[in-house]
PDB file of all heavy atoms in Angstrom:
ATOM      1  N   GLU A 161       7.949  25.314  35.459  1.00 86.00           N
ATOM      2  CA  GLU A 161       6.668  24.662  35.192  1.00 86.00           C
ATOM      3  C   GLU A 161       6.277  24.728  33.717  1.00 86.00           C
ATOM      4  O   GLU A 161       5.674  23.805  33.179  1.00 86.00           O
ATOM      5  CB  GLU A 161       5.562  25.296  36.053  1.00 86.00           C
ATOM      6  CG  GLU A 161       5.695  25.013  37.535  1.00 86.00           C
ATOM      7  CD  GLU A 161       5.708  23.518  37.849  1.00 86.00           C
ATOM      8  OE1 GLU A 161       4.902  22.787  37.246  1.00 86.00           O
ATOM      9  OE2 GLU A 161       6.521  23.096  38.681  1.00 86.00           O
ATOM     10  N   THR A 162       6.628  25.831  33.068  1.00 84.00           N
ATOM     11  CA  THR A 162       6.317  25.966  31.640  1.00 84.00           C
ATOM     12  C   THR A 162       7.076  24.928  30.829  1.00 84.00           C
ATOM     13  O   THR A 162       6.525  24.312  29.911  1.00 84.00           O
ATOM     14  CB  THR A 162       6.672  27.378  31.134  1.00 84.00           C
ATOM     15  OG1 THR A 162       5.928  28.342  31.889  1.00 84.00           O
ATOM     16  CG2 THR A 162       6.335  27.535  29.662  1.00 84.00           C
ATOM     17  N   LEU A 163       8.348  24.733  31.176  1.00 85.00           N
ATOM     18  CA  LEU A 163       9.147  23.733  30.478  1.00 85.00           C
ATOM     19  C   LEU A 163       8.616  22.326  30.732  1.00 85.00           C
ATOM     20  O   LEU A 163       8.545  21.507  29.824  1.00 85.00           O
ATOM     21  CB  LEU A 163      10.611  23.819  30.921  1.00 85.00           C
ATOM     22  CG  LEU A 163      11.469  24.918  30.296  1.00 85.00           C
ATOM     23  CD1 LEU A 163      12.868  24.889  30.873  1.00 85.00           C
ATOM     24  CD2 LEU A 163      11.518  24.763  28.779  1.00 85.00           C
ATOM     25  N   LYS A 164       8.250  22.050  31.985  1.00 89.00           N
ATOM     26  CA  LYS A 164       7.697  20.739  32.317  1.00 89.00           C
ATOM     27  C   LYS A 164       6.465  20.453  31.460  1.00 89.00           C
ATOM     28  O   LYS A 164       6.311  19.365  30.904  1.00 89.00           O
ATOM     29  CB  LYS A 164       7.324  20.674  33.797  1.00 89.00           C
ATOM     30  CG  LYS A 164       8.509  20.567  34.742  1.00 89.00           C
ATOM     31  CD  LYS A 164       8.022  20.475  36.179  1.00 89.00           C
ATOM     32  CE  LYS A 164       9.198  20.437  37.155  1.00 89.00           C
ATOM     33  NZ  LYS A 164       8.734  20.388  38.564  1.00 89.00           N
ATOM     34  N   SER A 165       5.600  21.440  31.375  1.00 89.00           N
ATOM     35  CA  SER A 165       4.372  21.291  30.601  1.00 89.00           C
ATOM     36  C   SER A 165       4.686  21.028  29.128  1.00 89.00           C
ATOM     37  O   SER A 165       4.083  20.153  28.492  1.00 89.00           O
ATOM     38  CB  SER A 165       3.514  22.554  30.748  1.00 89.00           C
ATOM     39  OG  SER A 165       2.343  22.456  29.984  1.00 89.00           O
ATOM     40  N   ARG A 166       5.661  21.751  28.595  1.00 85.00           N
ATOM     41  CA  ARG A 166       6.040  21.588  27.182  1.00 85.00           C
ATOM     42  C   ARG A 166       6.621  20.199  26.933  1.00 85.00           C
ATOM     43  O   ARG A 166       6.295  19.546  25.940  1.00 85.00           O
ATOM     44  CB  ARG A 166       7.052  22.659  26.789  1.00 85.00           C
ATOM     45  CG  ARG A 166       7.450  22.620  25.313  1.00 85.00           C
ATOM     46  CD  ARG A 166       8.510  23.648  25.008  1.00 85.00           C
ATOM     47  NE  ARG A 166       8.057  24.990  25.328  1.00 85.00           N
ATOM     48  CZ  ARG A 166       8.849  26.068  25.318  1.00 85.00           C
ATOM     49  NH1 ARG A 166      10.134  25.933  25.020  1.00 85.00           N
ATOM     50  NH2 ARG A 166       8.359  27.254  25.609  1.00 85.00           N
ATOM     51  N   TYR A 167       7.473  19.731  27.855  1.00 89.00           N
ATOM     52  CA  TYR A 167       8.090  18.416  27.672  1.00 89.00           C
ATOM     53  C   TYR A 167       7.064  17.292  27.787  1.00 89.00           C
ATOM     54  O   TYR A 167       7.123  16.302  27.052  1.00 89.00           O
ATOM     55  CB  TYR A 167       9.214  18.205  28.693  1.00 89.00           C
ATOM     56  CG  TYR A 167      10.412  19.092  28.492  1.00 89.00           C
ATOM     57  CD1 TYR A 167      11.114  19.614  29.585  1.00 89.00           C
ATOM     58  CD2 TYR A 167      10.852  19.431  27.210  1.00 89.00           C
ATOM     59  CE1 TYR A 167      12.225  20.423  29.407  1.00 89.00           C
ATOM     60  CE2 TYR A 167      11.957  20.247  27.031  1.00 89.00           C
ATOM     61  CZ  TYR A 167      12.636  20.744  28.133  1.00 89.00           C
ATOM     62  OH  TYR A 167      13.730  21.558  27.947  1.00 89.00           O
ATOM     63  N   ILE A 168       6.132  17.418  28.719  1.00 92.00           N
ATOM     64  CA  ILE A 168       5.093  16.398  28.877  1.00 92.00           C
ATOM     65  C   ILE A 168       4.224  16.333  27.622  1.00 92.00           C
ATOM     66  O   ILE A 168       3.911  15.244  27.120  1.00 92.00           O
ATOM     67  CB  ILE A 168       4.237  16.680  30.131  1.00 92.00           C
ATOM     68  CG1 ILE A 168       5.045  16.355  31.395  1.00 92.00           C
ATOM     69  CG2 ILE A 168       2.936  15.871  30.102  1.00 92.00           C
ATOM     70  CD1 ILE A 168       4.372  16.769  32.692  1.00 92.00           C
ATOM     71  N   LYS A 169       3.861  17.476  27.096  1.00 89.00           N
ATOM     72  CA  LYS A 169       3.051  17.525  25.877  1.00 89.00           C
ATOM     73  C   LYS A 169       3.820  16.890  24.703  1.00 89.00           C
ATOM     74  O   LYS A 169       3.273  16.061  23.963  1.00 89.00           O
ATOM     75  CB  LYS A 169       2.708  18.978  25.543  1.00 89.00           C
ATOM     76  CG  LYS A 169       1.816  19.167  24.315  1.00 89.00           C
ATOM     77  CD  LYS A 169       1.570  20.641  24.064  1.00 89.00           C
ATOM     78  CE  LYS A 169       0.726  20.868  22.825  1.00 89.00           C
ATOM     79  NZ  LYS A 169      -0.686  20.538  23.044  1.00 89.00           N
ATOM     80  N   GLY A 170       5.102  17.255  24.572  1.00 88.00           N
ATOM     81  CA  GLY A 170       5.914  16.719  23.486  1.00 88.00           C
ATOM     82  C   GLY A 170       6.155  15.218  23.621  1.00 88.00           C
ATOM     83  O   GLY A 170       6.115  14.481  22.625  1.00 88.00           O
ATOM     84  N   TYR A 171       6.407  14.769  24.847  1.00 92.00           N
ATOM     85  CA  TYR A 171       6.653  13.348  25.122  1.00 92.00           C
ATOM     86  C   TYR A 171       5.396  12.534  24.811  1.00 92.00           C
ATOM     87  O   TYR A 171       5.446  11.474  24.172  1.00 92.00           O
ATOM     88  CB  TYR A 171       7.055  13.204  26.588  1.00 92.00           C
ATOM     89  CG  TYR A 171       7.739  11.923  26.981  1.00 92.00           C
ATOM     90  CD1 TYR A 171       8.269  11.783  28.273  1.00 92.00           C
ATOM     91  CD2 TYR A 171       7.860  10.846  26.112  1.00 92.00           C
ATOM     92  CE1 TYR A 171       8.910  10.619  28.666  1.00 92.00           C
ATOM     93  CE2 TYR A 171       8.498   9.671  26.503  1.00 92.00           C
ATOM     94  CZ  TYR A 171       9.011   9.568  27.778  1.00 92.00           C
ATOM     95  OH  TYR A 171       9.643   8.406  28.172  1.00 92.00           O
ATOM     96  N   SER A 172       4.235  13.054  25.232  1.00 94.00           N
ATOM     97  CA  SER A 172       2.961  12.379  24.971  1.00 94.00           C
ATOM     98  C   SER A 172       2.730  12.227  23.476  1.00 94.00           C
ATOM     99  O   SER A 172       2.360  11.155  22.988  1.00 94.00           O
ATOM    100  CB  SER A 172       1.796  13.166  25.588  1.00 94.00           C
ATOM    101  OG  SER A 172       1.945  13.304  26.971  1.00 94.00           O
ATOM    102  N   LYS A 173       2.963  13.321  22.749  1.00 92.00           N
ATOM    103  CA  LYS A 173       2.750  13.295  21.295  1.00 92.00           C
ATOM    104  C   LYS A 173       3.691  12.301  20.627  1.00 92.00           C
ATOM    105  O   LYS A 173       3.293  11.555  19.714  1.00 92.00           O
ATOM    106  CB  LYS A 173       2.958  14.689  20.715  1.00 92.00           C
ATOM    107  CG  LYS A 173       2.657  14.781  19.238  1.00 92.00           C
ATOM    108  CD  LYS A 173       2.797  16.211  18.732  1.00 92.00           C
ATOM    109  CE  LYS A 173       2.438  16.305  17.256  1.00 92.00           C
ATOM    110  NZ  LYS A 173       2.541  17.706  16.757  1.00 92.00           N
ATOM    111  N   ARG A 174       4.938  12.278  21.074  1.00 92.00           N
ATOM    112  CA  ARG A 174       5.922  11.366  20.476  1.00 92.00           C
ATOM    113  C   ARG A 174       5.507   9.908  20.676  1.00 92.00           C
ATOM    114  O   ARG A 174       5.616   9.088  19.756  1.00 92.00           O
ATOM    115  CB  ARG A 174       7.296  11.617  21.103  1.00 92.00           C
ATOM    116  CG  ARG A 174       8.409  10.781  20.502  1.00 92.00           C
ATOM    117  CD  ARG A 174       8.808  11.307  19.154  1.00 92.00           C
ATOM    118  NE  ARG A 174       9.598  10.348  18.401  1.00 92.00           N
ATOM    119  CZ  ARG A 174      10.463  10.673  17.456  1.00 92.00           C
ATOM    120  NH1 ARG A 174      10.637  11.946  17.146  1.00 92.00           N
ATOM    121  NH2 ARG A 174      11.136   9.781  16.805  1.00 92.00           N
ATOM    122  N   LEU A 175       5.024   9.576  21.861  1.00 96.00           N
ATOM    123  CA  LEU A 175       4.622   8.198  22.135  1.00 96.00           C
ATOM    124  C   LEU A 175       3.367   7.814  21.359  1.00 96.00           C
ATOM    125  O   LEU A 175       3.259   6.694  20.842  1.00 96.00           O
ATOM    126  CB  LEU A 175       4.402   8.011  23.635  1.00 96.00           C
ATOM    127  CG  LEU A 175       5.663   8.045  24.501  1.00 96.00           C
ATOM    128  CD1 LEU A 175       5.297   8.018  25.979  1.00 96.00           C
ATOM    129  CD2 LEU A 175       6.599   6.877  24.173  1.00 96.00           C
TER     130      LEU A 175
END
Side-chain angles (χ1 to χ4, degrees):
E161 291 302 318
T162 301
L163 280 178
K164 286 181 183 178
S165 178
R166 183 183 301 171
Y167 292 143
I168 287 172
K169 182 181 178 75
Y171 198 173
S172 301
K173 184 176 182 179
R174 183 75 195 206
L175 290 173

